[in-house]
Structure formats: C-alpha cells, structure tokens
Amino acid sequence: MNNPFSILLVEDDAVDVMSVKRALRELNSAHTLNVAGNGEEALAYLRTPGHPPPGIILLDINMPRMNGLDLLKAMKEDASLRRIPAVVLTTSKEEKDRLESFNLGAAGYMVKPVEYAGFVEVVRIIQHYWNLSEMPPR
C-alpha cells in the first residue's frame, strides 16, 4: 500500500477527530481523511456508489446509534467490505472489547493515549504499518 489512500475515521468525539486530523497534518500525511460520526454513517459512506473503499478504517468502539463492534460485524458479513482493514482506536481497555474486536476481524486494537504526543505516535505507527502492508486486491 505504497500509494496515498483514504482513511475513514469512525469517531463521534470532536476532540479526537481534531487530534487525528492534526496528527496526520503533523506527520505530513498524503492520505485523505474522511470522517463518519458513528457506525451507521460509516456503513452509508462505505455503501455509497462512487466512493472508493478506504485503505484503512480507524474505528472507535463507544459511539451512539451503531457502535464500532456492530460496524465490524456488519462489515465482515458484507463481501464488498470484509477485506477493508479496520483498526480499533478506542479508550476502552476492557479485555472483552479487545477480544470481541479481534473475533470480528479487527486488524489491530490500540488504546488512545491521553497525551497528544502519544496520540501522534499511535497515528504514525498505524500510518507506517499500512504504508508498508501489501493488501489483497478488492
């Protein structure tokens, strides 16, 4: 995945959305960021004809209407969405959330750091990993 790709951030917290945008800017990222405020919005975006699939989804768990785990489940049941990698980026340190995320096919699980510098480092690591990853064709 060496070319710039789009990132779909599924996050309902405006501060966290701004932190991801700021971190990507600080890292001079060439990737486009699209934002959905919950799982329902994300599914609508992903299923809209003409929207190319994102290279990666960064996904919060605790959101209104449709949470991140429900979105993961819906994605894995949809043949057109199941191979899009989704990394959970959440405040939840609950073992059950981590296990459920991986059981539903999450590509990774990262707890959001409290400090901004730590947040930038997490985004840098995610971006670097996916820049190097060889993804299957869609």
Side-chain angles (χ1 to χ4, degrees), residues 40-95:
E40 286 180 0
E41 287 179 21
L43 274 180
Y45 176 87
L46 292 166
R47 290 177 173 159
T48 298
H51 281 168
I56 188 172
I57 297 172
L58 301 180
L59 175 63
D60 189 20
I61 289 181
N62 300 311
M63 296 179 291
R65 295 169 66 194
M66 176 186 259
N67 69 34
L69 296 175
D70 291 338
L71 174 59
L72 275 174
K73 185 176 182 194
M75 286 177 58
K76 298 310 170 186
E77 292 173 350
D78 185 324
S80 67
L81 303 177
R82 73 171 51 119
R83 285 193 282 177
I84 301 172
V87 173
V88 174
L89 184 59
T90 184
T91 57
S92 176
K93 295 180 182 178
E94 296 291 326
E95 183 71 10

Side-chain angles (χ1 to χ4, degrees), residues 4 28 32 38 44 47 51 53 56 65 82 119 123 125 130 133:
N28 296 315
T32 304
N38 61 56
R47 290 177 173 159
H51 281 168
I56 188 172
R65 295 169 66 194
R82 73 171 51 119
F119 202 93
V123 172
I125 290 167
W130 291 109
S133 291

Side-chain angles (χ1 to χ4, degrees), residues 8-9 13 25 39 44 55 60 67 69 74 76-77 89 96-97 101 107-108 121-122 127:
L8 178 59
L9 174 62
D13 185 291
R25 218 175 18 254
D60 189 20
N67 69 34
L69 296 175
K76 298 310 170 186
E77 292 173 350
L89 184 59
K96 66 177 182 54
D97 288 339
S101 295
E121 183 61 12
V122 166
Q127 177 179 264

Side-chain angles (χ1 to χ4, degrees), residues 100-116:
E100 185 68 11
S101 295
F102 282 112
N103 286 340
L104 292 170
Y109 190 97
M110 304 208 176
V111 176
K112 296 174 190 172
V114 176
E115 311 83 33
Y116 176 70

